[in-house]
Amino acid sequence: MRPGQAAAAPRPVAFRAVLRCGLTGGIGSGKSTVAAALAALGAVIIDADLVARQVVEPGAPAYAPLVARFGPGVLLPDGRLDRPALAAIVFSDPVARADLEELTHPAIGALLLELAAAAEMRGDRSEGASDAVGGRADGSGPVTVFDIALLDEGGRALYGLDVVVVVDAPVEVAVRRLVEHRGFTEADARARVAVQMSRERRCALADRIIDNSGDRDALDREVDELWAWLRAESARKAGPVDAGRSGSRPTRGRGHTGPVA
């Protein structure tokens, strides 16, 4: 099975139309801040980073293959994956990084789709959302956000995304944030940014770009405008029933790139 190809899809069911949004951005862009703000506004967030951690827990689908490929040196004393140790291996070794992707991406893609379908069938919304489950007074339906830092060109079809939103920040801004807020050295920060997808390629994926080069107040205004746009897109899409969205078999494609470590 190729990276990004889900192992199995849920059976088709009928439920109210859901707008699926892909949210992506490079390291230091502030994507996670945007995701948290959207959750507070009422979006259901499907977090790829959390899923990537789940699929490599002991007994999870990708655990044994990873240990077989990389050896016991990537394990902590309690048997869990030592993510920093694995990251150190794959960061500078393209072959090891490709092997990591091959072993983990199918499980990640399958679980992302499973979680999204389950939430959509239940009519989930985030805690604190003021709108009724399954639909809203303005005629819009629920919004599911796939929070995937490493979304690529195949992700739209793979996850059935209606729109893609990119959180963008200049390289110098991202580097400064990594140094000031996450304890990176400047050299490490620049190296992490350099191995990711280019800003130009990432922004080419977008239906909407969030400029996060300014302060938090500016970002909050951008998020409010984004949420209004997502609600409008959801209202445009919403119909009595959308059968089969959650059960559609994902198109072959990577959908996300790079290491999970």
Side-chain angles (χ1 to χ4, degrees):
M1 182 176 296
R2 298 178 61 81
Q5 182 182 8
R11 296 180 62 184
V13 295
F15 59 93
R16 185 175 178 83
V18 175
L19 185 80
R20 285 188 172 185
C21 168
L23 178 68
T24 191
I27 188 169
S29 67
K31 174 191 62 64
S32 296
T33 301
V34 172
L38 290 173
L41 289 167
V44 174
I45 308 297
I46 308 298
D47 189 331
D49 186 61
L50 292 179
V51 167
R53 292 173 182 272
Q54 291 172 11
V55 301
V56 297
E57 287 293 315
Y63 178 81
L66 279 182
V67 176
R69 165 59 178 86
F70 293 101
V74 298
L75 297 181
L76 296 167
D78 64 2
R80 292 182 298 112
L81 186 69
D82 185 339
R83 293 171 64 89
L86 180 58
I89 293 172
V90 304
F91 181 71
S92 59
D93 185 340
V95 174
R97 187 160 60 247
D99 289 345
L100 175 64
E101 294 170 8
E102 185 77 28
L103 295 171
T104 57
H105 284 186
I108 294 169
L111 186 51
L112 286 171
L113 287 167
E114 180 183 329
L115 291 172
E120 290 164 357
M121 284 186 281
R122 291 192 305 265
D124 279 2
R125 58 189 174 93
S126 295
E127 290 184 9
S130 59
D131 300 304
V133 174
R136 299 180 168 91
D138 62 2
S140 63
V143 176
T144 299
V145 174
F146 285 72
D147 177 0
I148 305 176
L150 304 168
L151 190 73
D152 74 2
E153 291 84 355
R156 190 182 295 262
L158 177 62
Y159 298 114
L161 303 177
D162 299 293
V163 296
V164 172
V165 174
V166 171
V167 183
D168 183 58
V171 170
E172 294 304 318
V173 173
V175 168
R176 186 181 72 245
R177 288 172 179 160
L178 294 174
V179 172
E180 292 179 357
H181 303 300
R182 295 177 58 177
F184 283 74
T185 66
E186 182 175 345
D188 286 343
R190 291 189 183 281
R192 290 298 183 101
V193 171
V195 298
Q196 292 194 338
M197 181 187 295
S198 70
R199 288 178 68 198
E200 294 76 15
R201 180 183 167 197
R202 186 183 299 112
C203 288
L205 304 174
D207 296 291
R208 192 177 183 100
I209 297 174
I210 300 300
D211 176 9
N212 190 22
S213 59
D215 59 18
R216 181 57 191 265
D217 287 342
L219 180 61
D220 287 344
R221 290 191 294 272
E222 290 257 3
V223 172
D224 287 343
E225 292 175 4
L226 171 63
W227 183 241
W229 179 74
L230 289 173
R231 293 284 292 271
E233 290 296 305
S234 179
R236 251 185 353 111
K237 178 183 177 180
V241 170
D242 182 4
R245 156 77 63 149
S246 66
S248 58
R249 186 170 297 280
T251 303
R252 183 183 298 270
R254 184 178 297 276
H256 50 282
T257 63
V260 299

